[in-house]
Amino acid sequence: MPTMLFVNLPVADVARSRAFFSSLGFRFDALFCDRATACFEVNDSCRVVLHRAQRFAGYAAATVADPRHGREALVAISASSRADVDRFADAAMANGGTHLRAAEDLGFLYCRSFCDPDGHAWEVLWMDPSRIPVDSDDDPEGADAVA
């Protein structure tokens, strides 16, 4: 069995969040859903689990941060084309999402971002790795390397 990734997020209203993500085309797994939790499949190896904030706090063993006032994560999902990026982001905005930042178009990468109704930051992106520019003068350790 391949390693799986489960992204767990606190939400104020599980039904509202379920309706929002359903509008983006995600299907929920009834086996992992109840009144306080909803789980949708991103792909065979990734699930997003939306927990009522009180339940999430128990799992996190900490106070739940308010994503409307700071970022703990930016969840990024790939799309198969630039048009799919636009369709996904437009659907998010039409169904209760809010604008996060301007679209980014680097030629080889195109992305748009939004916040879900609870303020969690999401990004949908298309990328063509064969079009990534190569600069032989780049620092092999990366410009952002930490000493």
Side-chain angles (χ1 to χ4, degrees), residues 65-140:
D66 186 343
R68 294 171 297 175
H69 299 290
R71 296 281 170 251
E72 184 176 78
L74 172 64
V75 181
I77 297 175
S78 65
S80 58
S81 70
R82 295 169 63 95
D84 285 344
V85 168
D86 287 333
R87 275 191 287 278
F88 192 99
D90 290 343
M93 300 303 289
N95 289 284
T98 56
H99 179 77
L100 180 61
R101 61 184 178 83
E104 186 171 10
D105 188 350
L106 302 176
F108 66 92
L109 176 119
Y110 176 67
C111 65
R112 288 181 55 193
S113 55
F114 59 91
C115 291
D116 67 24
D118 285 282
H120 300 292
W122 293 81
E123 186 169 77
V124 60
L125 63 97
W126 165 85
M127 181 172 45
D128 181 353
S130 71
R131 295 176 54 191
I132 296 174
V134 177
D135 185 351
S136 60
D137 293 336
D138 280 348
D139 177 3

Side-chain angles (χ1 to χ4, degrees), residues 38-81:
C39 176
F40 66 86
E41 178 180 310
V42 175
N43 61 36
D44 290 342
S45 298
C46 181
R47 306 284 186 282
V48 174
V49 188
L50 308 169
H51 302 278
R52 188 172 54 217
Q54 297 88 336
R55 180 176 280 181
F56 180 85
Y59 293 138
T63 302
V64 176
D66 186 343
R68 294 171 297 175
H69 299 290
R71 296 281 170 251
E72 184 176 78
L74 172 64
V75 181
I77 297 175
S78 65
S80 58
S81 70

